[in-house]
Amino acid sequence: MLNIALFGPPGSGKGTQSKKLIEKYNLAYISTGDMLRAEIAEDSELGKRVKSVMDAGELVSDELIVQILEKKIKNLTDAEGILFDGFPRNLVQAYILKGLLCKLNTELTAMISLEVPEEELMERMLKRAELEGRSDDNPETIKNRFRQYESKTRPVSGFYREMNRCYPVDGMGRVEDIFQRVSDVIDSL
Ligand code: ADP
């Protein structure tokens, strides 16, 4: 199996690249952010619990993340691997992912990290706020999402670096060019 975790700060282009990658490599797509937004849209019990947390730009509890992941993992189709977008987001989740893949008799092939300078990130996020109207894309929440990223999520890249599984990719430039760089990394695995 080809199991990839796409990593990077808010606004680094994970969602955009994910859509292209799952098609090219026939991967199942697991985006914890999309799954949480779907729960909110359905107004489920879980959705009610996570909305205020997401709107504040905080991380949802690991326990709830495990709950939604388990739902999804059960109905994996005959894809050739899994692409994780927005997960793992802290070190506990990195261990959770390890266990989850172990249950499926497999492991993480690579963590691909999209590298984008912070000034560019803020600009992209504010533009997206205008276009998509996501309730967590306002300046106050965005600032907190960056803070959460720096304190809790960034250390995850060190975890994979130590295992020689972390591949940084320049996330600046045209979407197509970034996609080519990511594809080159995957093809070299
Ligand atoms: P972005 O990467 O642009 O911040 P996401 O859609 O991945 O967007 O995540 C949006 C929000 O969903 C996060 O700020 C957080 O509140 C919640 N979230 C998503 N994935 C996780 C996760 N793995 N653990 C905890 N919270 C998460």
Side-chain angles (χ1 to χ4, degrees), residues 14 32 37 54 58 60 86 89 93 128 134 145:
K14 299 186 295 287
T32 44
R37 279 185 287 278
M54 284 176 78
E58 303 283 325
V60 170
R89 242 182 170 85
Q93 292 184 11
R128 182 170 81 185
R134 242 173 70 170
R145 283 158 63 198

Side-chain angles (χ1 to χ4, degrees), residues 82-97:
I82 309 173
L83 180 77
F84 295 92
D85 168 1
F87 173 82
R89 242 182 170 85
N90 60 30
L91 285 171
V92 171
Q93 292 184 11
Y95 284 102
I96 291 171
L97 176 60

Side-chain angles (χ1 to χ4, degrees), residues 7 91 111 113 149 153-162 166:
F7 186 83
L91 285 171
M111 186 253 217
S113 171
Y149 176 80
T153 309
R154 195 185 280 287
V156 172
S157 67
F159 176 86
Y160 290 107
R161 209 176 311 120
E162 275 174 23
C166 175

